Amino acid sequence: MRREIETLEGFDAQIRAEGSLAGCLAQSLDLRGRADVLARVPVHNAFFLGCRLKHRSALDLAARGAAVFPRLPQVPFDAYRPALYTAPELYADLAAGYTATPDARIYNWALRERSSLLDATLAQALHDHFVSDALLDVVTTPGMGVGIMGGHNVARGSADYARAAALGRGLAESGLLVLTGGGPGAMEAANLGASLRGTEAELEQACQVLAEVPTYAPDPSPWAARGLAVKQRFDCTRLNVGVPTWFYGHEPPNVFGTGIAKYFDNAIREDVLLRLCGAGLVYVPGRAGTTQEIFQALTRNYYALEGHQIRPMILLGVDYWTTQVPAWPLLRALAAGRLMESSVHLVDTIEDVFAILA
């Protein structure tokens, strides 16, 4: 197997242990200070992806059998990034306003014509590939991943927000790894509940503090700042993941995912999210995006040939999913007589969700 090297500490450990980089994959490392090492160790069939190298080192590595993939300096992101994003990284420079943050700068770049040129689309594809790779480093057991899907317009302080937060907390407390679409609203609530190591009373307190800035519109800056303040006040360190996208870049990512897998391509993002939620998918009230996610999972389950391929689907909110957004009648009709039939559920309480996924 290829040895992936994603830190300088890992690079140095590889040299000490093996004295060779042959067959290794070095990703987004600043190796300008390791030129002497690179010149003396075997590098045949090694890959250097977006590493900072002295020009002479790059030429020498290629001549000795390594593949050197250049950095792409004309884009505002690392196309070869070795790890998931973090909230402090995406919201750096927030004090100067949301538009000054890396998250906003990347989104604004993605809206420009320049982002559709060949080199830019290649950079985006590489970025999403390596984000997926980093996500698999975190979600090592997809069978323990559970997805919580829901609307981005659910306001902090609302009953729906509190319920999604309690849902995230309960599933995380049971040992499942919570994944969401990574945005605001119900997704933020679920990430908050999953991340907060504390009592139900502390979760309620956190929700109350957040409710003082109920939405991200019209300016996401106070909304994000309040989230970061809650993270400082409460222990929000339990592993959970947000999987947002710059395709919906007007919806800022919430800060409570301990890892944030942000994509350019929404279709890839949706597919990856479904694949990693092996324990099941829970749908709290949402509109078009949530409905799309319901039927994307339905299609995968509909054509499943074996039971282990099926993701349990739970719609939370009987009235909502039967009358307001009547996805349940169609879901039930399509599931009838299929292998997936016993894996679709309509429930009214989070306790019902816990009982099914237990």
Side-chain angles (χ1 to χ4, degrees):
M1 294 180 60
R2 283 195 183 278
R3 173 79 181 274
E4 295 186 10
I5 304 174
E6 298 171 345
T7 65
L8 284 177
E9 292 77 12
F11 178 91
D12 294 337
Q14 171 69 19
I15 298 301
R16 288 194 301 270
E18 304 293 338
S20 173
L21 294 172
C24 291
L25 188 153
Q27 190 172 342
S28 290
L29 301 180
D30 187 346
L31 297 176
R32 290 172 295 183
R34 304 295 195 278
D36 292 343
V37 174
L38 293 172
R40 71 171 186 265
V41 300
V43 294
H44 179 70
N45 202 28
F47 281 70
F48 295 85
L49 305 177
C51 293
R52 292 182 181 274
L53 296 163
K54 292 183 177 180
H55 181 65
R56 182 178 298 176
S57 293
L59 294 176
D60 177 64
L61 291 170
R64 292 162 54 215
V68 180
F69 287 67
R71 292 175 55 80
L72 302 172
Q74 301 304 317
V75 296
F77 55 88
D78 181 359
Y80 306 98
R81 63 172 298 113
L84 298 183
Y85 291 97
T86 64
E89 180 182 5
L90 288 174
Y91 283 110
D93 302 320
L94 181 63
Y98 174 66
T99 56
T101 65
D103 182 68
R105 291 200 303 270
I106 294 172
Y107 177 53
N108 289 333
W109 173 86
L111 295 175
R112 297 176 190 150
E113 184 177 350
R114 174 74 181 81
S115 69
S116 64
L117 298 180
L118 181 58
D119 59 333
T121 57
L122 175 61
Q124 293 171 62
L126 286 168
H127 169 277
D128 286 359
H129 169 82
F130 286 108
V131 166
S132 293
D133 184 62
L135 189 52
L136 291 175
D137 289 340
V138 174
V139 189
T140 55
T141 309
M144 297 302 291
V146 59
I148 301 178
M149 315 301 179
H152 67 276
N153 281 329
V154 174
R156 294 169 171 175
S158 67
D160 282 343
Y161 189 96
R163 181 165 71 163
L167 175 63
R169 178 181 184 275
L171 293 174
E173 288 280 330
S174 73
L176 294 172
L177 174 61
V178 171
L179 299 97
T180 80
M187 295 172 281
E188 178 189 59
N191 284 127
L192 165 67
S195 70
L196 196 149
R197 298 179 185 272
T199 64
E200 290 183 15
E202 288 175 310
L203 179 58
E204 291 175 4
Q205 292 172 16
C207 288
Q208 290 170 3
V209 175
L210 289 169
E212 296 174 12
V213 185
T215 73
Y216 63 89
D219 179 7
S221 300
W223 176 86
R226 182 54 56 96
L228 291 170
V230 164
K231 286 190 69 172
Q232 289 184 338
R233 177 173 171 181
F234 297 91
D235 183 4
C236 297
T237 58
R238 181 161 45 201
L239 180 65
N240 72 107
V241 179
V243 189
T245 172
W246 280 293
F247 181 78
Y248 297 128
H250 60 285
E251 301 173 14
N254 79 71
V255 304
F256 295 106
T258 52
I260 301 175
K262 191 152 191 180
Y263 285 83
F264 287 99
D265 191 315
N266 186 55
I268 294 175
R269 167 243 190 182
E270 295 278 10
D271 183 68
V272 169
L273 188 53
L274 285 178
R275 283 193 284 113
L276 295 180
C277 295
L281 297 151
V282 185
Y283 301 91
V284 302
R287 291 287 177 173
T290 308
T291 305
Q292 174 189 334
E293 289 163 342
I294 290 173
F295 290 102
Q296 189 167 350
L298 165 67
T299 302
R300 179 187 288 269
N301 284 346
Y302 185 89
Y303 290 108
L305 300 177
E306 300 179 16
H308 69 87
Q309 298 173 325
I310 291 176
R311 303 290 187 262
M313 300 173 64
I314 306 171
L315 275 59
L316 177 57
V318 172
D319 178 69
Y320 186 84
W321 292 117
T322 55
T323 60
Q324 297 185 52
V325 180
W328 172 250
L330 181 53
L331 173 59
R332 181 176 58 181
L334 288 170
R338 307 291 297 187
L339 189 61
M340 66 175 289
E341 185 172 12
S342 63
S343 297
V344 298
H345 310 271
L346 176 66
V347 303
D348 230 6
T349 69
I350 61 174
E351 288 74 23
D352 293 332
V353 175
F354 299 151
I356 292 169
L357 294 182

